[in-house]
Amino acid sequence: MSQNQRCLPGLLLICATAISILIANSNLSEIYINIFHHTNLIGNFNLHMIINDFMMAIFFLYVGLEIKKEILEGSLSSFRKASFPVIASLGGVIVPAIIFMVINKNTEYLPGVGVAISTDIAFAIGIFMIFKSRLNSNLKIFLLSLAVVDDLISILAIVFLYSAKINLKALIISSIILLVLLGLNKILNIRKIGPYLFGGLFLWYFTYKSGIHATISGVLLAVVIPSSKDKNGESISDILEHKLTKLCNLIILPLFAFANTSIAISFSSNVADASNLIMGIICGLVIGKPLGVVSFSFIATKLHIAEKPETASWISIIEVALLTGIGFTMSIFVSELAFAYDENVINLAKLSILTASMASIIVTQMALYLKHSRVAAKIKYIVG
């Protein structure tokens, strides 16, 4: 895959976001709202719900397959391989969460802690490829592994923090469907993708009905899809992941951005009342993410719990860590769940996420610009 192809998902996200914001602040805003929110296409599902509940379940299936592959045979397949990015990722979740909770202590915005802990894989990797000539290219796998673990933690946060009241009957049915799909894999040894995707539709429906967010069905489906290799060295899991790559990166994620970043920039929004929320998200992402990633990984190496990649200096790790403040897709998704009770709060959260993501890119650019300055040389001499 060429560098331009790797950059494309991030660029599409930026374009979709820019167009969405322009429409939201133009005479077309009412048409946009009617199309996405007020027109039911399938039953009670409008286009916005189809994108956020169904299409994002497909994206979570893709993410689940990526996580599974990394655990089985990739950078998370052994303790030695996994320790450095996993510990870095834990720091990139714990530190911004603490920052957000401290800033929003005793406020109504505390449930939004999940907004400040997520790194957007597509966007972060896209920006990495744009800056590739000035970054340590060997750290791309580190960033990808970190973002994968980060997504796994965000998924768990969605399950435990943002799921609705549980419908026990639907939960039991979805569990039975999951066991049947597992049986197709482990007992009947079925190696065709059709039965799993067909069962996955029912799994999605009953997961949605259960009160657990429907997108989690995508991750659960990824778990039961066969990963054993055939004589050609490919698995059903590999083939499906490959097929979903373009669908997710070039269609679903830009469509999600277009449907969820229509922020009406208006001075009527009471920014003062939501200053804690805004500062919590921006400080959590821009400061907390890289601070957590670098500090936890640094301490882990000093305690000999993890091992820093031989080809990377701490300066190069700091540069890559700055990109983890790009929250975007997952952060926006969580903000929709956390603040579903108030559209104005959702808009302010989204605006904060966009500000934080752009700030992270600018800070990374500045760090790379200063890379060969005297200050950077002194820091490099101190930390090695």
Side-chain angles (χ1 to χ4, degrees), residues 40-73:
N40 290 344
L41 300 180
I42 303 173
N44 294 324
F45 284 85
N46 56 40
L47 184 55
H48 183 264
M49 292 172 68
I50 290 173
I51 292 169
N52 281 30
D53 289 317
F54 182 72
M55 288 190 176
M56 285 301 286
I58 298 173
F59 170 70
F60 273 61
L61 168 60
Y62 172 67
V63 170
L65 291 171
E66 276 195 329
I67 294 171
K68 185 178 179 180
K69 185 175 182 178
E70 292 298 322
I71 291 173
L72 292 177
E73 57 188 67

Side-chain angles (χ1 to χ4, degrees), residues 141-158:
I141 298 299
F142 165 70
L143 178 60
L144 180 61
S145 303
L146 187 152
V148 164
V149 177
D150 194 286
D151 271 0
L152 180 59
I153 296 171
S154 296
I155 289 166
L156 293 174
I158 290 170

